[in-house]
């Protein structure tokens, strides 16, 4: 995956990231995860985006350049990882919702728990970050520069397996068709409608 691929709106990049691989090299070992589920967030045009109301210290990384990692804390419990996309100054990003561990499964299981089944190691955005060892210190990392956290092309997802649906767990613009995932893949998280969700206009 290169900068040219990422320098497009999040909803265009999100399905192309299926099959891409995120790798984190640490002193404890290396974990690599192939992406199986993503969600697109479209900045100032998207009521569910962290950048909907403009730039803040928290969301500054989202404004570019493309290829950087935007990491935030969800509900005060879990770290979530987003890949920044689009042109500089336009805050779009793709949330990595789930993946399949393809390297370093033992280390991923140490981080997640000894009894966690393989398909569940990186199922859900918080579990994905925990398995990969991603925390706030990785916010702003350039994934294309050879850093300890890196994005690579991986095996492209077959087009016939890519599905599109509404986003999970958000209350605003939840019905936008901006979630992309691999049909039948056991690592993909279950769809969950937010109890606060209301129908909304959008794409």
């Amino acid at each position: 995956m290169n900068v040219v691929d990422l320098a497009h709106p999040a909803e265009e990049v999100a399905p192309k990231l299926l099959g891409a691989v995120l790798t984190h090299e640490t002193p404890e070992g290396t974990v690599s995860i192939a992406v199986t589920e993503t969600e697109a967030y479209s900045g100032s045009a998207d009521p569910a985006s962290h950048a909907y109301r403009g730039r803040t210290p928290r969301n500054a990384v989202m404004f570019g350049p493309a290829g950087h990692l935007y990491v935030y804390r969800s509900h005060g419990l879990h770290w979530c990882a987003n890949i920044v996309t689009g042109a500089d100054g336009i805050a779009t990003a793709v949330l990595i919702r789930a993946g399949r561990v393809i390297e370093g499964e033992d280390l991923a299981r140490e981080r997640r728990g000894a009894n966690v089944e393989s398909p569940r190691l990186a199922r859900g955005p918080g579990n994905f970050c925990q398995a990969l060892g991603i925390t706030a210190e990785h916010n702003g990392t350039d994934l294309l520069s050879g850093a300890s956290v890196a994005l690579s092309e991986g095996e492209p997802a077959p087009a016939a397996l890519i599905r599109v649906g509404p986003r999970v767990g958000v209350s605003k613009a939840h019905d936008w068709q901006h979630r992309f995932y691999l049909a039948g893949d056991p690592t993909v998280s279950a769809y969950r409608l937010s109890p606060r969700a209301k129908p909304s206009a959008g794409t």
Side-chain angles (χ1 to χ4, degrees), residues 105-122 127 130-131:
E105 183 169 321
D106 289 345
L107 178 54
R109 185 168 280 106
E110 282 183 30
R111 293 168 173 163
R112 287 277 290 117
N115 296 322
V116 177
E117 299 174 352
S118 295
R120 300 180 62 86
L121 286 172
N127 294 335
Q130 188 175 5

Side-chain angles (χ1 to χ4, degrees), residues 2 12 17 28 40 45 50 53 70 73-74 83 85 112-113 115 118 127 134 139 158 163-164 168 170 173 187:
N2 56 48
E12 295 179 17
L17 284 171
E28 295 76 30
H50 288 178
R53 300 187 184 280
Y70 168 51
R73 193 77 140 169
S74 176
I83 296 174
T85 68
R112 287 277 290 117
N115 296 322
S118 295
N127 294 335
I134 296 298
N139 186 46
R163 298 291 184 269
V164 183
V168 177
V170 295
T187 67

Side-chain angles (χ1 to χ4, degrees), residues 1 5 10 15 22-23 36-37 50 52 66 76-77 92 108 153 161 191 199 202:
M1 194 65 58
D5 294 319
L22 275 167
T23 297
T36 59
E37 182 184 6
H50 288 178
Y52 181 59
L77 297 172
T92 64
E153 189 169 1
L161 294 181
Y191 176 73

Side-chain angles (χ1 to χ4, degrees), residues 5 20 25 28 30-31 33 48 56 74 76 82 94 109 129 132 138 141-142 149 152 164 175 183 186 191:
D5 294 319
E25 297 180 356
E28 295 76 30
T30 297
V31 174
I33 304 178
T56 67
S74 176
N82 302 254
V94 175
R109 185 168 280 106
C129 281
L132 200 58
H138 303 105
T141 297
D142 185 348
V149 184
S152 58
V164 183
D175 47 3
Y191 176 73

Side-chain angles (χ1 to χ4, degrees):
M1 194 65 58
N2 56 48
V3 174
V4 174
D5 294 319
L6 296 174
H8 296 281
E11 61 269 26
E12 295 179 17
V13 175
K16 296 178 181 178
L17 284 171
L18 296 175
V21 175
L22 275 167
T23 297
H24 186 195
E25 297 180 356
T26 68
E28 295 76 30
T30 297
V31 174
S32 295
I33 304 178
V35 176
T36 59
E37 182 184 6
T38 61
E39 280 181 348
Y41 288 87
S42 304
S44 61
D46 186 346
S49 170
H50 288 178
Y52 181 59
R53 300 187 184 280
R55 186 190 295 261
T56 67
R58 180 198 192 197
N59 68 26
V61 173
M62 288 184 71
F63 287 80
H68 286 233
L69 196 64
Y70 168 51
V71 180
Y72 69 89
R73 193 77 140 169
S74 176
H75 305 297
L77 297 172
H78 309 291
W79 298 110
C80 295
N82 302 254
I83 296 174
V84 177
T85 68
D88 283 2
I90 300 176
T92 64
V94 175
L95 172 66
I96 306 302
R97 283 203 53 85
R100 181 178 66 258
V101 178
I102 59 174
E103 180 182 3
E105 183 169 321
D106 289 345
L107 178 54
R109 185 168 280 106
E110 282 183 30
R111 293 168 173 163
R112 287 277 290 117
N115 296 322
V116 177
E117 299 174 352
S118 295
R120 300 180 62 86
L121 286 172
R123 180 193 292 172
N127 294 335
F128 187 99
C129 281
Q130 188 175 5
L132 200 58
I134 296 298
T135 66
E137 70 177 280
H138 303 105
N139 186 46
T141 297
D142 185 348
L143 297 171
L144 308 173
S145 69
S148 64
V149 184
L151 177 70
S152 58
E153 189 169 1
E155 189 72 26
L161 294 181
I162 297 176
R163 298 291 184 269
V164 183
R167 295 183 291 200
V168 177
V170 295
S171 60
K172 298 178 180 178
H174 70 92
D175 47 3
W176 289 21
Q177 301 295 294
H178 281 190
R179 175 180 174 237
F180 303 88
Y181 60 97
L182 298 181
D185 194 300
T187 67
V188 172
S189 62
Y191 176 73
R192 177 176 58 83
L193 177 67
S194 168
R196 297 176 291 124
K198 296 180 180 180
S200 61
T203 54

